[in-house]
Amino acid sequence: MDKLIELTGKVLQLPVLASKHGQDVDNLIIYVHWLMAALFIGWILYFIYALLRFNRKANPKADYVGIKSHASNYIEGAVAFVEVVLLVGFAVPLWARAVDHFPTPEEHPTNIRIIAQQFNWNVFYPGPDGEFGRRGVKFVTSDNPWGLDKSDPKGNDDLGLLNNQIHVPVNKPVVIMLTSKDVIHSFKLIAMRVTQDAIPGVPIPVHFTPTKVGMYQINCAQLCGVGHSAMTGGRLYVDTQEDYDKWLASQPKMSAGGGGSLE
């Protein structure tokens, strides 16, 4: 079965996979394609049968009674059964694992905050204390666009990267708190098999565990304005732990009194 799934994935030319849960997503895609292939072949065969069985030469006199067999009902029931199996046996458990089984603090996940805007991904990291500084709408001003609470010392060591780049260590859970500054965007990491809408004013958690070192594209899967295509310029860098630590140490801290500007 595994070899058949692998072969099907190659035939479908699925994108590179670089996350722990992504294989479950690919498997579901493959199973759905198997069902669609079976239905396609079945309908083609039935179409050919109908052309031969019910042509004018084979049936010179019209039959107004119609078909009496219940075979079509059984076939429709079988297709519905397979669809239920795919939904209940694969799709729902996959969704449940994604939304219910978030990384625990004991797993020491990489916590990131992403605020989408036209037409960038603004990325924030907590500092060495592991905690973000307090934010709120009431703190938003022209010189404090991210609503930082300047009096909260926890924000002194936070990192803000306004350059569409995300760095994470390999083989370690990543938890992203996603929201938007203006319109609805959609955060899509194809290699991680992650897609989540970014909605203004609604923080939405997203998690994945990267398994391959490399650079991957960040896409916006929601038409968000005339510069929508520019949001494909975002990049996710999956680093070794050593490289990630070096990169993190080299980044400038956000100024707690600077309203979100970089030092």
Side-chain angles (χ1 to χ4, degrees), residues 14-261:
L14 295 178
V16 61
L17 175 61
S19 72
K20 188 175 181 180
H21 78 280
Q23 189 59 56
D24 290 336
V25 177
D26 284 1
N27 289 348
L28 180 59
I29 293 173
I30 290 170
Y31 296 150
V32 171
H33 275 78
W34 284 353
L35 174 61
M36 294 300 102
L39 291 176
F40 176 78
I41 294 172
W43 276 113
I44 291 296
L45 293 177
Y46 176 76
F47 181 68
I48 295 173
Y49 167 77
L51 290 177
L52 298 176
R53 175 66 178 79
F54 301 108
N55 65 70
R56 182 179 179 182
K57 185 178 295 185
N59 298 271
K61 184 177 180 181
D63 182 359
Y64 297 99
V65 176
I67 190 169
K68 298 179 181 180
S69 170
H70 294 286
S72 61
N73 299 68
Y74 300 144
I75 294 174
E76 290 176 6
V79 172
F81 174 76
V82 174
E83 291 173 345
V84 170
V85 170
L86 289 176
L87 178 63
V88 178
F90 295 94
V92 172
L94 174 60
W95 173 81
R97 286 194 296 273
V99 299
D100 292 339
H101 299 153
F102 265 74
T104 62
E106 290 74 21
E107 297 178 82
H108 304 289
T110 303
N111 292 301
I112 303 173
R113 180 176 287 158
I114 296 179
I115 303 177
Q117 72 173 94
Q118 296 172 314
F119 298 96
N120 293 287
W121 303 103
N122 303 296
V123 186
F124 302 87
Y125 290 79
D129 62 0
E131 297 184 63
F132 284 104
R134 188 166 48 249
R135 297 169 184 248
V137 175
K138 63 182 179 180
F139 302 118
V140 175
T141 62
S142 59
D143 63 342
N144 185 10
W146 309 116
L148 301 176
D149 182 356
K150 301 176 184 180
S151 65
D152 185 3
K154 293 180 181 178
N156 291 345
D157 58 354
D158 289 357
L159 308 179
L161 311 174
L162 312 182
N163 57 1
N164 292 321
Q165 292 186 14
I166 304 173
H167 282 257
V168 297
V170 70
N171 295 322
K172 185 177 180 180
V174 177
V175 176
I176 295 174
M177 191 60 68
L178 181 67
T179 188
S180 173
K181 183 181 177 182
D182 38 41
V183 300
I184 295 177
H185 300 268
S186 186
F187 181 73
K188 188 177 186 71
L189 292 171
I190 296 176
M192 303 299 150
R193 305 301 190 261
V194 167
T195 303
Q196 175 61 59
D197 283 351
I199 302 174
V202 182
I204 301 175
V206 180
H207 73 96
F208 60 91
T209 301
T211 57
K212 291 183 180 180
V213 172
M215 180 183 70
Y216 306 99
Q217 187 176 35
I218 306 171
N219 294 278
C220 181
Q222 175 69 41
L223 183 60
C224 56
V226 294
H228 166 69
S229 60
M231 297 191 74
T232 60
R235 294 291 183 268
L236 169 71
Y237 295 90
V238 179
D239 305 321
T240 63
Q241 186 66 56
E242 181 182 2
D243 289 341
Y244 174 76
D245 291 339
K246 290 180 180 178
W247 170 85
L248 195 64
S250 69
Q251 299 307 303
K253 306 294 187 296
M254 291 191 69
S255 172
S261 62

